[in-house]
Amino acid sequence: MNGGGVLGGLVPSLDQPLLRVPAERLSVTTVQANRRVEKELAAILDECKLLGEHGAIGAEQAHGQLGELVRRLHGLKRKIEEGRTEQAEHEQRCRARLDYLGLCESGTVLQGDVLMEHAVEVSALESADLPVQTSRTARLVCEYLFRAGFNQTAEALVAAAGIAGLVDANMHAQAREIGTALLRGECSTALVWVSEHRARLRRHHSGLEFGLRQQEFIELVRRAERPAAIAYARAHFPAHAKSQMQQIQRAMATTAFPHAETAATAYPALFADSAWAGLQQQFLREHRLLHCASEQPRLLVGLSAGLAALRNPGKCIQ
């Protein structure tokens, strides 16, 4: 692979998410692992400092405190090893996809697609006789199927085509799990995901966290749990007051009504069942954004380009 090709930024737009997603996951994993280690190491050092300041202590007490420090150090070592393992997996995925794109760029790529039974494993793509173009088509179709919710069909195609290394199944599985929970009226898993990516979401001026908090507040009002709703608002709304004050005021106004039905009549948008579907769509957009995945399925982009070329065959040949 030459420097002016894939590494030089000439990756076709259809293939760019193939590199962006694992590279972004590698970056995020590295940062999160470093933060966890730094936090745990700082806590251990503080414990050591306190242990030295206690002065003379009994042998049994010293043995217990040192044992606790050893246990925490073993835990820190385990976290470091787990972080390295995860980072190595993302690095390996990036390298494999770079090699794959190098084959796509070379002249060994077959012209046109072939039957799916000739598809191969990613690890075997170094042979010049393999139908690399087939794996590209299968990958685009799998991505579309995952996004459309046809998960079992997508997983079956991944297995049949042998392209597990080219499809970010874990990313789609996470999005499906959290999105499904939101449609069930559950915010807990989405809030956990938000807490893990809060800094990056803020850089994108995301309103997802406030939307989730507001929905949990509204559900408390719907169940006529006014004291709990007010306590929840005091705990979570101040952090969003600067950017969401108008929405906070509308939400808090629902507690002024004696009955939830009256509040729902005055503010139907807040109590609408469709609010959960809206949160799911907002989460999916934010999830794709943080993973550097394309907003629109690449299969549709490719089809649009192909149809445009068919309408202008002369320009395409030129």
Side-chain angles (χ1 to χ4, degrees), residues 28 69 153 202:
V28 171
L69 286 176
T153 303
R202 285 176 179 172

Side-chain angles (χ1 to χ4, degrees), residues 24-275:
E24 183 64 19
R25 288 306 307 155
L26 174 61
S27 175
V28 171
T29 299
T30 301
V31 171
Q32 291 179 342
N34 289 341
R35 287 177 178 173
R36 285 195 298 267
V37 170
E38 290 174 358
K39 182 179 180 180
E40 185 66 20
L41 184 59
I44 291 174
L45 292 176
D46 290 340
E47 289 290 336
C48 292
K49 184 178 179 181
L50 292 175
L51 182 61
E53 294 175 350
H54 284 165
I57 58 176
E60 184 177 352
Q61 184 179 0
H63 183 271
Q65 291 180 348
L66 289 174
E68 177 64 17
L69 286 176
V70 170
R71 185 189 66 80
R72 297 188 67 172
L73 285 171
H74 281 301
L76 177 60
K77 179 182 178 181
R78 176 179 51 80
K79 290 180 181 179
I80 293 175
E81 291 174 349
E82 291 175 352
R84 287 178 177 175
T85 300
E86 188 175 0
Q87 291 170 31
E89 292 175 355
H90 291 306
E91 290 174 357
Q92 183 179 5
R93 188 174 293 110
C94 289
R95 284 195 295 268
R97 294 185 180 191
L98 280 171
D99 293 340
Y100 165 77
L101 290 175
L103 287 176
C104 290
E105 184 188 25
S106 69
T108 60
V109 179
L110 297 184
Q111 300 299 318
D113 293 341
V114 296
L115 296 176
M116 288 307 302
E117 55 261 33
H118 297 298
V120 295
E121 293 290 340
V122 177
S123 59
L125 288 175
E126 297 178 358
S127 171
D129 299 327
L130 298 177
V132 180
Q133 197 71 1
T134 297
S135 59
R136 172 181 286 171
T137 301
R139 172 170 54 84
L140 296 177
V141 173
C142 285
E143 179 204 15
Y144 178 82
L145 290 174
F146 273 122
R147 291 198 182 193
F150 301 106
N151 304 303
Q152 293 182 351
T153 303
E155 292 168 357
L157 179 56
V158 168
I163 56 171
L166 299 179
V167 177
D168 298 291
N170 291 337
M171 180 189 73
H172 294 294
Q174 182 188 56
R176 178 173 69 250
E177 178 185 357
I178 298 177
T180 302
L182 287 173
L183 291 180
R184 291 198 306 265
E186 302 172 6
C187 290
S188 57
T189 54
L191 285 170
V192 170
W193 182 84
V194 166
S195 66
E196 294 174 353
H197 302 86
R198 181 173 287 113
R200 301 178 65 230
L201 287 169
R202 285 176 179 172
R203 287 199 295 270
H204 292 289
H205 306 287
S206 170
L208 177 60
E209 182 175 7
F210 174 74
L212 294 169
R213 295 296 185 187
Q214 178 179 254
Q215 192 61 40
E216 288 203 323
F217 170 84
I218 291 298
E219 294 306 314
L220 290 172
V221 175
R222 193 195 305 272
R223 295 195 298 268
E225 300 178 15
R226 187 181 303 176
I230 294 174
Y232 186 90
R234 288 175 175 171
H236 299 291
F237 282 0
H240 307 278
K242 185 176 180 180
S243 60
Q244 306 286 350
M245 179 54 70
Q246 184 175 358
Q247 288 80 356
I248 291 174
Q249 291 173 342
R250 290 177 64 247
M252 294 303 300
T254 61
T255 62
F257 295 89
H259 303 289
E261 294 79 5
T262 309
T265 302
Y267 297 94
L270 292 177
F271 290 85
D273 293 335
S274 60

Side-chain angles (χ1 to χ4, degrees), residues 293-307:
S294 57
E295 180 64 26
Q296 188 177 19
R298 296 290 88 185
L299 178 64
L300 300 184
V301 175
L303 288 173
S304 298
L307 292 173

